[in-house]
Amino acid sequence: MAAKLEVERKYELPDGFAMPDLTGVGGVAAVGEPDDQRLDAVYYDTAELHLARGRVTLRRRTGGNDAGWHLKRPAGGDRSELQVPANKTQRTPPRAVADQVRALTRGEALAPVARIRTHRVERALRAADGRTLALLADDTVSTESLRNGGAAREWHELEVELVDGDTKALERLDAALRKAGAKPSKSASKLQQALGPDYPLAEKAPDSALAAYLAAQRDALIEHDPQVREGDAEAVHKMRVATRRLRSTLRSFSAELTGDLDTLHEEVKWVTGLLGGVRDTDVMGERLDHLIRAEPPELVLGPVAARITSQLAAQAAEARRALTAGLDSPRYTALLSDVDALVGRTRPAPRKRLMRRAHKALRRADSRLDAATSDVEMHESRKAYKRARYAAELVTPLAGKKATALADRVTDLQDTLGTHQDATVTGELLKAYGIKAYGAGENAFTYGLLHARIDEQGRRALEDLPRVRRRARKAARALYG
């Protein structure tokens, strides 16, 4: 699979449009000879057009310089494109592609929905040093909807796609083409025009802060799902945070929600656990590697790094297998649909009630920390502060900067408690590794040394706790009074 960021502009062309001379525009020193191409693409989607609803397109194209399967997804104001070669007989999307959109399709079958033929005359816009700044494509398009009652359409359009040029060059080319009469396309894609009235309208933004927050977490799951499947550590982290925010909202704002929230919470907790199995192992590996590297070589006795690496690698491999199986399961797609339903039935709640729920989450966390007398109770208070932080995030559209400030201060407090918890967990793991090393006849000195180092980090974090807690209380008074 090959991935790239697609930065392009599309234009509608009026009758009698004359292509302007683009030499000298945006660093263009020469316009290449025309490359005549015949492109034939079949677009795939579910019966309910789930991909189109997510502004994603999937096609199998023949002809041109990049024949094969093309998967395009929104990426800010542009699009990311994944390309996979296709064999001559394959007429269904390969597993590698289908998995990339499983969070959108919810496991439903992908089938042809439109066929688009394009007669393209493409010219390279080159810089003085020979680099191709952009490709200018003059397209004559004919389409055929493969859905019941679909109509055939034809039109003429122009497309400029950056290659080695920058956005400033694209802006200048855009200005020159508009001056010549080209108008920015009203359609997001050729598929939108091909499907006509069947193309789904953009989903309306939720009309309440609570529904919007839930929808944002659902959208984060869908956004990061493909990268998680590819093993991207940062995507695993972001997807896990989204599940935590969902779980927190289901608990802190349960009185404002309807449905079987307990079952939904358990299902989200299940996904959180799968992601956590991968994320925690990755983070632990980085933490222990840093600890070992910080020690003078003469104090690292025996195969410490090798033992730790092999142990964590086995855990990570098993955790990734479990995560992939979970994401491929009907249970996961059912969870996404259940969150869809929750967002859809969540109605606006009075600002005062939402603020009261958020304040209650913070008071509950404060009470847990006040009563904590053990590492386990300290960890529980940390989780409670996470819920309070997410609650403050949720009411930010209602309370503005004061809510943002509180979320930031509670994050500091949660991180301080997290450093202590991480030290506790890491210390226990080092103790277990040291015992195994000793049982294998290895020198266990370094494990004890590392245990002492990490224990000291945990103690220092607790010394800083009163300061960060005072700052959090000050921000809470400013928001909640």
Side-chain angles (χ1 to χ4, degrees):
M1 295 188 292
K4 68 174 184 177
L5 181 65
E6 182 182 74
V7 182
E8 66 180 18
R9 301 291 182 268
K10 293 179 180 291
Y11 304 90
E12 298 173 359
L13 303 180
D15 293 338
F17 175 81
M19 186 73 68
D21 183 4
L22 297 177
T23 305
V25 178
V28 175
V31 178
E33 292 298 315
D35 179 13
D36 196 281
Q37 303 175 16
R38 301 283 177 166
L39 311 176
D40 191 348
V42 175
Y43 284 71
Y44 289 73
D45 208 331
T46 66
E48 299 296 322
L49 298 178
H50 285 104
L51 298 190
R53 293 179 191 282
R55 298 305 182 251
V56 171
T57 59
L58 171 61
R59 71 189 179 202
R60 183 186 187 277
R61 188 162 79 182
T62 58
N65 303 315
D66 57 355
W69 293 95
H70 297 183
L71 176 64
K72 296 187 179 185
R73 291 180 287 230
D78 301 306
R79 291 191 295 177
S80 66
E81 181 176 1
L82 181 70
Q83 297 182 4
V84 179
N87 60 48
K88 294 181 179 180
T89 60
Q90 189 175 38
R91 291 295 181 270
T92 57
R95 175 69 183 271
V97 174
D99 283 350
Q100 291 284 307
V101 294
R102 183 176 290 273
L104 282 173
T105 65
R106 310 294 163 83
E108 292 188 20
L110 290 164
V113 295
R115 185 174 186 179
I116 300 178
R117 298 177 178 89
T118 304
H119 177 201
R120 170 167 292 178
V121 179
E122 187 175 78
R123 292 174 174 85
L125 305 180
R126 295 194 177 94
D129 60 5
R131 287 180 300 118
T132 298
L133 300 176
L135 294 173
L136 178 68
D138 189 335
D139 291 345
T140 301
V141 185
S142 62
T143 70
E144 175 190 359
S145 174
L146 303 179
R147 293 168 62 83
N148 291 334
R153 299 171 184 271
E154 292 185 0
W155 69 90
H156 187 201
E157 70 177 29
L158 196 66
E159 181 180 297
V160 181
E161 181 179 354
L162 279 185
V163 180
D164 286 333
D166 56 23
T167 54
K168 288 184 178 179
L170 187 59
E171 289 169 2
R172 288 168 184 160
L173 290 167
D174 174 75
L177 292 169
R178 290 195 193 204
K179 185 177 180 180
K183 298 179 180 180
S185 178
K186 296 177 184 177
S187 299
S189 65
K190 290 181 175 67
L191 178 63
Q192 181 175 352
Q193 295 192 63
L195 293 179
D198 282 350
Y199 192 80
L201 297 174
E203 183 178 315
K204 291 183 179 180
D207 57 359
S208 73
L210 181 53
Y213 195 76
L214 291 167
Q217 310 323 313
R218 184 244 356 242
D219 293 346
L221 296 181
I222 294 171
E223 176 187 355
H224 299 302
D225 179 286
Q227 289 74 39
V228 168
R229 293 174 184 276
E230 294 171 354
D232 185 289
E234 187 61 20
V236 171
H237 168 61
K238 290 179 178 179
M239 192 171 179
R240 185 189 190 191
V241 169
T243 63
R244 284 174 165 173
R245 285 177 168 138
L246 270 176
R247 290 174 59 200
S248 172
T249 305
L250 292 172
R251 286 292 182 252
S252 298
F253 297 91
S254 59
E256 313 302 329
L257 301 170
T258 59
D260 188 354
L261 302 182
D262 288 338
T263 298
L264 182 55
H265 182 275
E266 288 305 306
E267 291 303 280
V268 179
K269 183 179 179 181
W270 164 67
V271 177
T272 306
L274 294 176
L275 293 161
V278 174
R279 176 65 180 172
D280 289 345
T281 304
D282 289 344
V283 171
M284 183 62 73
E286 293 174 1
R287 184 181 302 134
L288 292 176
D289 180 69
H290 178 75
L291 278 173
I292 294 169
R293 290 178 182 275
E295 294 297 331
E298 61 270 18
L299 295 183
V300 181
L301 307 181
V304 179
R307 172 174 287 279
I308 290 175
T309 298
S310 64
Q311 295 267 3
L312 290 178
Q315 293 177 28
E318 180 56 34
R320 289 195 178 278
R321 282 193 293 271
L323 175 57
T324 299
L327 296 182
D328 285 345
S329 70
R331 183 179 179 182
Y332 172 63
T333 52
L335 163 62
L336 294 174
S337 296
D338 288 344
V339 178
D340 283 341
L342 177 63
V343 171
R345 65 175 179 264
T346 298
R347 298 293 175 257
R351 177 185 186 278
K352 186 175 181 179
R353 282 218 306 258
L354 293 179
M355 295 295 292
R356 187 164 63 244
R357 305 294 180 205
H359 193 189
K360 183 178 179 180
L362 181 61
R363 293 198 306 270
R364 188 182 297 116
D366 283 335
S367 297
R368 280 187 176 275
L369 183 55
D370 288 337
T373 59
S374 66
D375 290 341
V376 172
E377 291 172 344
M378 293 281 282
H379 181 47
E380 290 302 313
S381 69
R382 178 202 180 192
K383 292 193 291 186
Y385 277 118
K386 279 188 179 181
R387 289 191 288 273
R389 166 195 164 191
Y390 298 148
E393 290 177 352
L394 189 150
V395 300
T396 294
L398 308 175
K401 293 181 179 179
K402 290 181 179 179
T404 301
L406 176 60
D408 290 343
R409 294 293 175 256
V410 175
T411 298
D412 294 339
L413 179 52
Q414 147 200 327
D415 288 346
T416 300
L417 290 167
T419 299
H420 173 263
Q421 172 64 14
D422 291 345
T424 300
V425 173
T426 306
E428 288 300 313
L429 189 61
L430 285 167
K431 180 180 177 181
Y433 285 164
I435 291 172
K436 286 184 178 180
Y438 181 79
E442 299 168 11
N443 193 318
F445 166 81
T446 303
Y447 298 97
L449 177 62
L450 297 178
H451 187 284
R453 303 285 196 221
I454 200 71
D455 186 62
E456 177 61 23
Q457 290 181 18
R459 284 201 300 270
R460 285 200 303 269
L462 290 185
E463 290 173 0
D464 198 36
L465 186 58
R467 180 185 67 82
V468 294
R469 196 175 188 192
R470 283 194 301 270
R471 296 178 70 189
R473 284 174 167 168
K474 182 179 179 181
R477 287 193 297 271
L479 177 61
Y480 299 126

